[in-house]
Amino acid sequence: MSPDSPRPRFRPMPPQVDLPALEHEVLARWRDRNVFGRSLAATAGGPQWTFFEGPPTANGKPGTHHVEARVFKDLFPRFKTMKGFHVPRKAGWDCHGLPVELEVEKRLGFTRGKQEIEDYGVAEFNARYRASVQEHVDEFSALTERMGYWVDLDAAYWTMNPAYIESVWWSLKQIFDSGRLVQDHRVTPYCPRCGTGLSDHEVAQGYYDVSDPSVFVRFPVTSGPLAELGAAFLVWTTTPWTLVSNTAVAVHPDVTYVAVRVADEVLVVAEPLLTKVFADAPVEVLRRMPGRELEHTSYSRPFDLVDIPDAHYVGVADYVTVEDGTGLVHQAPAFGADDLAVARRYGLPVVNPVKPDGHFADDLPLVGGQFFKSADPAIVDDLRERGLLWRSESYLHSYPHCWRCDTPLIYYALPSWFIRTTAVKDRLLAENERTTWYPATIKHGRYGDWLENNIDWALSRNRYWGTPLPIWRCDGSGAGGEHLTCVGSLAELSSYAGRDLTDLDPHRPFIDEVTFACPVDGCGAPAARVSEVIDCWYDAGSMPFAQWG
């Protein structure tokens, strides 16, 4: 076609053609002649091209985003099939997870979280979940056929089926036996509304910009030369509510700190932040010292609302920076991973006056019964009244919220089960190097950066509808104290329990009722399952093998 040729015009379908009827005829032809099945049979001897169906959760109606995803998932297997590859396509249904629980809670009018669920009954509630995730399967199936997406719906896997759960258990047993499935008391991002911890992947989905109070607080020094000067540590925090639980102040051992006279008082800050903290105010430097010289210097804590013995002195920590604040970091070990590490190193107590629902204990003065973030104004006002507040201003920053219910998260000291993914970091990075990514920027960008900054996977969830963590713990009354037994199948569980459990529904509460004598030699103490279920993302990640049972 020459540049001067007229451009071809789009010619619409003649008006006499009935498009819906034509489409129905094509779909009927494919179905009646088993064209999909014959395409698989025709390529059975060819090289296999692996396709994984990332499944939808059918507790909601399908939408246009499902159509878009299914178009891409249909396009590539068809292309590879035409190139002679054998491409099995097994459909699936994602059944577990907190979004399903929240939807059922909403339908039942529950607003107070886990207590209402337990009052209602876990068995009855989980029955609701099971029905919910099957509610729109027919509509998804109809959509799948209507758009011509070729996938085997007849042999679909369900993540809630016992065979799938047993396969997940098998994989967890491999991890447990390798020493990489462990329980630890760690500070974990936690949703007080949902009553469960979140993985770092989940946390990344729910950041919102919020305005919080940024406060500079005086901590009067009570020992050493600085006490003789009448000095106070100037401590900065954007979480005033955590000051109730203060146990220590952290400084960097190699940073220089200065005691300066400002107006009629003496304050201690990191020297690199001197100008930033005091701006144009005239200051007189009275004393310089490295952070390590401040170690074990005691101070008067800002609140005495809870009993915190053997605490309130300076510790050193390399994580302290001089980019913001004052270079002196308030420590509340129950609400920060770095804080907890410092507390463990110094043998400091971990005090947590905040209940699992995110509210301060009712009997606490000043903030009792308040939601943790709602307590900030009362905290700031009280500091101001007692002359401890040096400065307060608003601080706009990105704060994590639950991606499911939009509740502000709290970093909370909880016992949780972790997969030690950090133990195989080098292998993960090596596999990423062997992988071809489209687009290529993902390899060392979003995904590669995530692997480089990988932390152990917080696997357990303190919820109800999910794959139960297959670990039984004895009560420690036998020989050698407490023992853990990880079970890899219902058949193995049957051998421990001494009865046939192969037809048992492995969900809560039925699985919780199974107990047995600890199988460790010489023990025999009663063993019961731990209460947690697992992160539904582990269910999804198990699909390449668990879809086969």
Side-chain angles (χ1 to χ4, degrees):
M1 181 184 293
S2 72
D4 298 327
S5 299
R7 295 176 62 84
R9 300 187 64 182
F10 170 74
R11 296 188 178 185
M13 186 74 68
Q16 67 271 20
V17 175
D18 186 344
L19 278 177
L22 177 61
E23 291 165 355
H24 176 76
E25 181 179 335
V26 171
L27 293 173
R29 179 187 179 94
W30 287 355
R31 181 176 60 251
D32 296 342
R33 299 192 180 188
N34 190 27
V35 176
F36 174 38
R38 288 163 58 195
S39 75
L40 292 175
T43 57
Q48 182 160 318
W49 192 77
T50 301
F51 170 80
F52 293 144
E53 159 71 325
T57 302
N59 70 322
K61 293 184 177 181
T64 54
H65 59 294
H66 292 106
V67 175
E68 181 182 30
R70 280 164 129 65
V71 166
F72 283 108
K73 289 191 289 186
D74 191 52
L75 176 65
F76 289 95
R78 283 180 184 269
F79 173 73
K80 286 295 184 179
T81 298
M82 289 190 290
K83 299 285 284 186
F85 287 86
H86 182 58
V87 191
R89 279 153 272 180
K90 189 179 180 71
W93 303 105
D94 192 9
C95 308
H96 290 148
L98 192 49
V100 182
E101 293 195 33
L102 295 180
E103 177 63 26
V104 174
E105 286 185 63
K106 182 179 178 180
R107 293 183 183 185
L108 291 173
F110 292 175
T111 59
R112 294 185 290 107
K114 293 169 68 175
Q115 187 56 54
E116 282 182 292
I117 296 173
E118 297 193 2
D119 291 344
Y120 184 80
V122 175
E124 293 80 2
F125 208 54
N126 277 358
R128 289 267 191 161
Y129 297 151
R130 182 182 294 277
S132 173
V133 296
Q134 299 177 76
E135 186 171 349
H136 299 286
V137 165
D138 289 345
E139 292 170 72
F140 270 97
S141 299
L143 170 71
T144 300
E145 183 182 23
R146 173 67 182 79
M147 61 177 289
Y149 174 30
W150 280 359
V151 66
D152 187 354
L153 287 166
D154 294 333
Y157 67 87
W158 297 71
T159 63
M160 68 180 178
N161 281 358
Y164 194 101
I165 290 174
E166 285 189 274
S167 193
V168 173
W169 279 6
W170 167 83
S171 68
L172 289 170
K173 184 175 176 63
Q174 312 311 304
I175 298 171
F176 179 87
D177 290 345
S178 71
R180 297 192 179 112
L181 179 55
V182 297
Q183 188 178 37
D184 198 359
H185 197 269
R186 303 190 189 184
V187 173
T188 303
Y190 173 83
C191 175
R193 162 61 182 80
C194 299
T196 192
L198 284 77
S199 67
D200 60 323
H201 168 74
E202 293 174 298
V203 173
Q205 299 184 69
Y207 276 88
Y208 300 129
D209 286 339
V210 299
S211 182
D212 280 326
S214 163
V215 297
F216 295 77
V217 183
R218 301 175 177 93
F219 286 32
V221 180
T222 57
S223 70
L226 292 176
E228 297 173 6
L229 292 174
F233 295 127
L234 191 60
V235 177
W236 176 68
T237 182
T238 58
T239 54
W241 62 270
T242 63
L243 290 170
V244 173
S245 306
N246 172 263
T247 61
V249 168
V251 299
H252 195 289
D254 300 323
V255 168
T256 298
Y257 289 80
V258 290
V260 298
R261 188 179 303 280
V262 184
D264 59 350
E265 62 180 325
V266 178
L267 299 172
V268 179
V269 298
E271 189 169 37
L273 289 163
L274 191 61
T275 303
K276 191 171 184 178
V277 172
F278 298 110
D280 298 326
V283 298
E284 176 188 358
V285 177
L286 303 178
R287 185 181 178 93
R288 283 186 173 86
M289 69 228 82
R292 61 175 49 88
E293 285 189 11
L294 294 172
E295 189 175 23
H296 296 295
T297 300
S298 62
Y299 62 87
S300 177
R301 59 175 170 156
F303 292 96
D304 58 2
L305 304 178
V306 294
D307 184 31
I308 308 178
D310 304 320
H312 307 110
Y313 55 80
V314 175
V316 296
D318 290 337
Y319 84 88
V320 176
T321 70
V322 289
E323 296 175 359
D324 292 299
T326 64
L328 294 104
V329 181
H330 140 68
Q331 303 290 285
F335 308 114
D338 291 325
D339 304 37
L340 183 59
V342 171
R344 285 176 169 169
R345 191 163 67 248
Y346 284 92
L348 292 163
V350 178
V351 177
N352 187 353
V354 178
K355 299 181 295 183
D357 65 359
H359 292 73
F360 280 97
D362 295 333
D363 59 353
L364 206 63
L366 184 65
V367 293
Q370 294 190 47
F371 189 63
F372 72 101
K373 286 188 73 67
S374 302
D376 280 340
I379 293 287
V380 174
D381 288 345
D382 187 77
L383 291 169
R384 182 181 292 109
E385 290 173 8
R386 292 187 291 120
L388 295 177
L389 183 67
W390 187 73
R391 189 169 78 212
S392 175
E393 55 198 18
S394 293
Y395 177 69
L396 183 65
H397 65 137
S398 189
Y399 191 88
H401 290 65
C402 180
W403 66 279
R404 304 176 185 96
C405 68
D406 290 334
T407 300
L409 300 182
I410 181 173
Y411 283 82
Y412 199 72
L414 284 173
S416 187
W417 292 88
F418 293 84
I419 294 178
R420 296 181 57 243
T421 52
T422 53
V424 293
K425 178 180 177 180
D426 291 344
R427 289 172 57 191
L428 295 172
L429 290 170
E431 288 300 318
N432 191 43
E433 290 302 316
R434 296 176 58 230
T435 303
T436 301
W437 280 91
Y438 296 96
T441 52
I442 299 295
K443 182 170 188 173
H444 297 115
R446 181 176 180 181
Y447 191 76
D449 182 68
W450 178 68
L451 289 179
E452 286 286 356
N453 295 285
N454 163 50
I455 61 174
D456 289 343
W457 187 349
L459 178 74
S460 59
R461 299 290 181 267
N462 300 96
R463 295 297 300 192
Y464 307 98
W465 179 241
T467 295
L469 190 64
I471 294 177
W472 272 254
R473 174 187 278 124
C474 75
D475 64 9
S477 62
E482 181 180 277
H483 304 105
L484 298 174
T485 302
C486 189
V487 173
S489 68
L490 287 172
E492 183 182 359
L493 184 60
S494 298
S495 69
Y496 290 138
R499 55 193 174 99
D500 185 5
L501 298 170
T502 52
D503 292 329
L504 177 73
D505 180 351
H507 289 94
R508 300 189 66 189
F510 314 109
I511 195 68
D512 298 338
E513 298 166 1
V514 178
T515 60
F516 52 80
C518 178
V520 173
D521 289 345
C523 183
R529 196 189 74 84
V530 299
S531 62
E532 295 91 344
V533 299
I534 68 168
D535 181 359
C536 64
W537 288 101
Y538 191 97
D539 272 351
S542 301
M543 176 269 290
F545 59 88
Q547 65 175 321
W548 307 108

